[in-house]
Amino acid sequence: MVKKASATIADPRDTKAKDTSTSSQNSYDVIKYESRVFHESSPQHLRMMARLFGMNAPKASKARVLELGCGVGGNIMPLAVLFPEAKFVGVDLSEVQITEGKKDIDALGLKNIELTHMSISDIDIDFGEFDYIICHGVFSWVPKQVQWDIIRVCKENLSKHGVAYVSYNTLPGWGVVSTIRDMMVYHTKDFSDPKEKVSQAITMLKFALENQTGETNHWKVALEKELKILTNTTADYVFHEHLEENNNPMYFYQFIEMANKAGLKYLGDSSLASMYVGNMTAKAADTLKGLTNQVHQEQYMDFVRNRRFRSTLLCHDSNNLNFNLSAEKAFEFYLSLNSSVKPDFDPTLEDWTKEGPRSFNNGDMVANDRIIALAMIVLMEKNGHRISANELVTETTKRLGWNNELAVHAMLGNCVMELAMRGGIFLYDGPEHCVRTISEKPEVWRYAWHRAEAGNILVNVDLKSARVDFFYAEFAKLLDGNRTKNEAIDELKKNLKKLKVAVKANDGSKITDEATIDGEIEAFALKALDYFLAESFLVA
């Protein structure tokens, strides 16, 4: 049965501060949001999207970047490491998180980033001009006036060809979820401890679900879906996503109307594939492709998909945009193949002199021309590493045994853009920052081994997080570019013995033989090194 709280606990709604935005933000002092990095909000990704639609946004390497609601700075700090000539500023209303973030900045010795404890509402035009403004996970969780302040800052403090990124909860997807949230908030209103609130919120959902009947019960389906999401995430997410005082989802078109009133317009979504009507069912695509207004088209797509979250890119309304992507656009970017794309054939046994369709992903994707199929294999063999579109043309031409690249160039233009819009290929603004071979003195990039000192959630140079085990984190700290591979492995052995870390066999029994332990550690280290290489952690 659902546990009841003591009646002596005050209702938090009776003790909220006069400034509701301050009350909401101070909850982050109580239960800290885990420091995260959001690749899709990075300036190099935003620049790629801007260039794709015809706007030449500033290069990330020397840009000025502002993050609204930065927390401890976990989203922009790795960017500051990656781009030492750029300037990063973060503001947040949680003094606790700003203080913690400053400690990380000092530990990393960074001079190009500053975190400031202040309200978004206090930012004015004198605060400075920025090429990129990021506001992730804030907009839906603040009062209406602060929402307008976010839009105002995105207008007043954004450079002429700059890009603003704002994420928010959307309707219709949040329609039923809002009701579930109301239930969670009502049940937990008398609990003061944040962890207890989260626990009780989940308990309430389970209680409601356990008492549903009927296989076609739509409320049961909704509860099951939300419970699955919330039980597979962290407590801080549950608390700040569902139990905050403010959570105000809106329709996509309503957000764009707000932006338009301020002199901003829609540049795109952070995910190119989500903008493409061709990813809908054939019937929906045929119906919606006649809509020439991009916002209208995507709003109907949201209705059909029941979308619940968006990351929208905005720019000044004076910029000219073109949503009709030409084949030649593809050759302006670097590419990598989505790792989920797999051939339904053995590439090493394939006869590339023969024409004919080749299927991928169990027939879900078909390349009707051998040029396209081979290009996809060339990208697949890069194991997630990126190459330029022009390099792809050259490599594919060589593999075909041809001397002239024109036919390959012509074929790949349309193919690459189509695959990018379908999510099969990812586009990038420039080359990658990692290495593709293990050097004499391997080096895990600085921000990753800094994170390894604090825990086991590392961030690679592509700004993607990875949760690794204790051993990987310990080894990462030793790969600082000052040791050879063997020196790092020897140091790892010493450190693990000092920590009295048990090494176990496959059957779970503890290994006690010294030589066997050393062999197991070395084998693990070599595996970890291959992982760091493949997952873009190693730099020159």
Side-chain angles (χ1 to χ4, degrees), residues 75-296:
N75 190 37
I76 54 175
M77 213 174 295
L79 289 166
V81 176
L82 205 57
F83 301 115
E85 295 184 57
K87 175 66 176 177
F88 300 88
V89 177
V91 301
D92 200 283
L93 205 54
S94 169
E95 187 172 11
V96 170
Q97 294 199 84
I98 290 295
T99 300
E100 183 176 333
K102 287 180 176 180
K103 291 177 182 177
D104 277 338
I105 290 173
D106 290 341
L108 283 161
L110 298 174
K111 305 299 181 185
N112 61 335
I113 178 172
E114 60 182 75
L115 304 182
T116 302
H117 170 227
M118 67 182 298
S119 169
I120 293 170
S121 301
D122 291 335
I123 297 175
D124 58 24
I125 198 167
D126 294 329
F127 195 74
E129 184 179 88
F130 297 87
D131 302 310
Y132 297 95
I133 297 177
I134 303 166
C135 187
H136 183 85
V138 177
F139 193 84
S140 291
W141 298 268
V142 294
K144 195 71 174 179
Q145 182 53 52
V146 182
Q147 290 183 340
W148 278 111
D149 284 330
I150 290 170
I151 296 294
R152 174 183 57 77
V153 170
C154 288
K155 171 62 179 179
E156 293 181 353
N157 299 85
L158 189 67
S159 64
K160 183 178 180 181
H161 300 299
V163 179
Y165 165 107
V166 183
S167 69
Y168 49 99
N169 286 336
T170 57
L171 298 168
W174 252 85
V176 174
V177 183
S178 291
T179 303
I180 294 175
R181 174 187 178 271
D182 290 344
M183 178 175 67
M184 295 166 67
V185 170
Y186 178 80
H187 174 67
T188 61
K189 62 184 174 65
D190 291 329
F191 291 91
S192 58
D193 178 70
K195 291 182 180 179
E196 182 72 359
K197 275 182 173 287
V198 171
S199 174
Q200 283 298 310
I202 299 298
T203 298
M204 183 65 223
L205 285 191
K206 290 179 178 178
F207 172 72
L209 179 59
E210 288 166 356
N211 288 280
Q212 300 301 309
T213 59
E215 292 301 318
T216 58
N217 184 331
H218 297 300
W219 181 231
K220 177 183 177 182
V221 173
L223 288 169
E224 285 177 334
K225 182 179 179 180
E226 201 62 23
L227 188 60
K228 183 177 180 180
I229 292 173
L230 298 184
T231 53
N232 284 285
T233 189
T234 55
D236 60 324
Y237 175 85
V238 178
F239 184 81
H240 294 300
E241 177 75 7
H242 283 68
L243 301 178
E244 286 285 0
E245 181 180 350
N246 293 288
N247 191 326
N248 304 301
M250 63 175 59
Y251 287 101
F252 169 56
Y253 80 89
Q254 293 174 321
F255 177 81
I256 297 303
E257 285 177 350
M258 288 182 69
N260 290 162
K261 288 179 181 178
L264 298 167
K265 69 180 178 181
Y266 182 55
L267 168 61
D269 192 85
S270 65
S271 168
L272 176 62
S274 73
M275 300 175 63
Y276 182 43
V277 72
N279 291 325
M280 306 289 287
T281 63
K283 186 175 181 180
D286 286 341
T287 303
L288 298 179
K289 66 183 180 182
L291 295 174
T292 58
N293 183 293
Q294 187 68 29
V295 172
H296 291 173

Side-chain angles (χ1 to χ4, degrees), residues 50-55 325-333 417:
R51 289 177 60 204
L52 194 63
F53 298 120
M55 191 177 85
L325 303 179
S326 67
E328 282 302 306
K329 265 287 177 186
F331 295 97
E332 297 180 16
F333 302 100
M417 196 53 69

Side-chain angles (χ1 to χ4, degrees), residues 438 475 485-486 489 521-531:
I438 298 173
F475 194 41
K485 175 180 68 177
N486 291 333
I489 292 174
I521 292 175
E522 183 170 348
F524 143 76
L526 293 174
K527 182 180 177 182
L529 195 55
D530 286 339
Y531 170 82

